[in-house]
Amino acid sequence: MYEVVIGVEVHAQLRTKSKMFCGCSTAFGRSPNSQTCPVCLGLPGSLPVINKAAVEMAVRAGLALNCSIGAHNRFARKNYFYPDLPKGYQISQYEAPVCEHGWMEIAVGGTTKRVRIRRAHLEEDAGKNLHVTSSGRSLVDLNRAGTPLLEIVTEPDMRSADEAVAYLKNLRDILMYLEVCDGNMEEGSFRCEPNLSLRPAGQQELGVKVELKNINSFKFVKDALEHEIKRQTEVLTEGGCVKQETRLWNLDRGETAVMRSKEEAHDYRYFPDPDLVPLKLEREWVDASRAELPELPVVRTRRFLEEYGLPDYDAGVLTATRDVGEYFEASVKLFPQPKTVSNWVMGELTRELNNTGTAIGASPVSPERLATLLRMVEQGTVSLKVARDIFPEMYRTGKAPEQIVQEKGLTQVSDEGALSQVIDDVLAKNPAQVAQFKQGKQQVLGFLVGQVMKSSGGKANPGKVNELLKHKLG
Ligand SMILES: [Zn+2]
């Protein structure tokens, strides 16, 4: 029996407007090499300047991950040669990273465990090589060169693919809540590189480690790890040795394949970057950052369960992103019926947002408007059916619910005189059902209520209709 040992490295792109050491834009998807300057092109004589926003974001992330923040941290050159790295080195951090010795709690299968964070350091990204198979040429795009990254490294504390995925999901949620990373895995803003080894159960010493790359979804993290666990178990069971290497996840084949072995691994010859002064972080400044941290996802989910008495499912959905939670709470403040608000946010609102590809922060229906609509239902001004019908129009036109109701004459009818007339018509048109009811067939009442609601265009107050019908039939 072998024990699985997993550690994870993540490269998270920080959401700064400009690059790590120059003023070039970090916007994604622009025409190649349009966002470059002498600094990120590595031209002689150019000098880097540290991006303050990137340091702030790294500190926020570190604090949220319970790290200690290095008062003195330093940038180092990591030397290697590759066409997408114009300087011939990457500016990273080595001996004195900005964050160290943190931890995060993950919950898998009903138990909670702590994953230790070894370090989180700032570095710049490399450019991108594009291999054009038709022409046999390779092109280099340096728009990404110099983009700020936070590399977050765990201790080998995870024992299954599920734990690794739980850690990664949690980490991505935290970084998105902190607004330091957009979490877009397809665009490479959140890159996962798990490493894995096996050891005989009970053995302290770690086995030989394999690193996995080229994984851009949580599903692939799980698939790749499970494939690798199976492959290494087979190698060891047959008496073989696992080689220390980096393997790529091949999506089409559903397996991992060797990218490079340890013999080819780089010796990066790190040394302090002489162009950059050591970075000193004032304690007061770090404490101020700590005080400004937002509520984190796990804490918020727990609070939604306790404070609003929501079911687990609702609490999970409503805290999936920071903006959904904020929309929900703003609405509940105005209409204090949490479960009703939750149903509308998860139902009607989410449907419209998905249909139009809109983020909840930009919803044309504000929490105020939603609360007004729900209050109108509560007060009997409109029926629930009418409220559901007009919601898409509120969303499409940005109009207030009162205005739509007034324009369309949709106010709920509770007036006995008006309802009485509609009911009399319905009874006259359905003599057979009336007779059945009088013979004791109670279910027919539902049919008659339905008919009245229909003839009133959904505007009749159903409670009133029930009451009046019973009275007239009895
Ligand atoms: Zn630049």
Side-chain angles (χ1 to χ4, degrees), residues 19 21-25 35-41 145:
K19 293 186 180 179
F21 300 109
C22 63
C24 293
S25 166
Q35 297 171 159
T36 55
C37 73
V39 174
C40 55
L41 289 175

